[in-house]
Amino acid sequence: MASASTAAAPVIARTLSAQAAPARADAVDPRAPVNLTLKINGHDHRLALDVRTTLLDALREHLGLTGAKKGCDHGQCGACTVLIDGRRMLSCLTLAASIQGRAVTTIEGIGQADGTLHPMQQAFIEHDALQCGYCTPGQILSAIGCVQEGHAGSDAAIREYMSGNLCRCGAYPNIVAAINQAKPAMRTAKKD
Ligand code: FES
Ligand code: FES
C-alpha cells in the first residue's frame, strides 16, 4: 500500500517540472493576430488576423464578403472558389497570410460599377444554370478561370475542368451551356 509520501510524489514531480520550464519571454503566441493587407476586388484591406485564418473566413467573417460559400471547408466542393491573380483557387484551403500582395477576385468584384453583369453571370441567368444557387458563386468564378486558362474548348473539356465544382442540384448541363455562351465575350487563353 502506498504511503502518503509516495502517493504524493507524482503531484510534486509535475509541480517541479512546471517550475523548471518557465515560459520563454521571447516565445511567440501562435494565436496572436498578425497585421495583413489583402487586395480584394481591387481594394486594399488591412486586417489583424490569427495567422491560421483561411482566406474564406477572412472574406466571410472579417470583410463581410459572403459570396464565396463554405460548402465543405475541406477542398472537396468548390463552393469557395475565388480567383487569385486570375487563377482559380479554393479559398478554404488558402491561408489569408499567404496571399498578401496578390490580387483576389470574388463574385462581388466581377461585375461593372454601373451594375452590368459579367458575361458569365449573364449567361448563367439566361441558361438557368442554377437552382438553389449555393454553388453558383464558385461555379461562376471557376467558369471564368476555366475560360481564361483555355480549358473551355469543348463540352468535354468544360466538364473535365469544371469537375471540381459540385452542384447538388444537378445544374451541370445548363452550366456547360452558359460557359459556351460566355466564352466568346471573354478574353480567351491560347491553349484549349
Ligand atoms: S468549401 Fe472550399 S472546397 Fe468546399
Ligand atoms: S444550384 Fe444548388 S447546389 Fe448548385
Side-chain angles (χ1 to χ4, degrees), residues 56 69-80 90-93:
L56 179 60
K69 296 293 184 280
K70 185 177 283 189
C72 65
D73 211 18
H74 284 86
Q76 296 173 344
C77 73
C80 65
L90 298 175
S91 60
C92 74
L93 295 185

Side-chain angles (χ1 to χ4, degrees), residues 39 82-89 99-105 148:
K39 183 181 283 296
V82 298
L83 299 177
I84 300 180
D85 293 338
R87 300 188 71 84
R88 47 200 168 151
M89 301 275 285
I99 51 95
Q100 285 198 94
R102 302 177 68 185
V104 179
T105 304
Q148 290 179 165

Side-chain angles (χ1 to χ4, degrees), residues 129-136 139 166-171:
L130 60 138
Q131 288 186 38
C132 77
Y134 194 82
C135 74
T136 307
Q139 298 279 4
L166 304 183
C167 174
R168 64 185 173 185
C169 299

Side-chain angles (χ1 to χ4, degrees), residues 140-166:
I140 290 175
L141 268 298
S142 192
I144 293 170
C146 181
V147 172
Q148 290 179 165
E149 293 158 15
H151 292 139
S154 66
D155 286 5
I158 292 170
R159 283 194 291 270
E160 172 69 20
Y161 284 94
M162 288 294 292
S163 61
N165 289 80
L166 304 183

Side-chain angles (χ1 to χ4, degrees), residues 108-119 121-122:
E108 291 91 347
I110 64 171
Q112 296 180 20
D114 65 1
T116 303
L117 297 178
H118 187 283
Q121 290 175 300
Q122 189 63 41

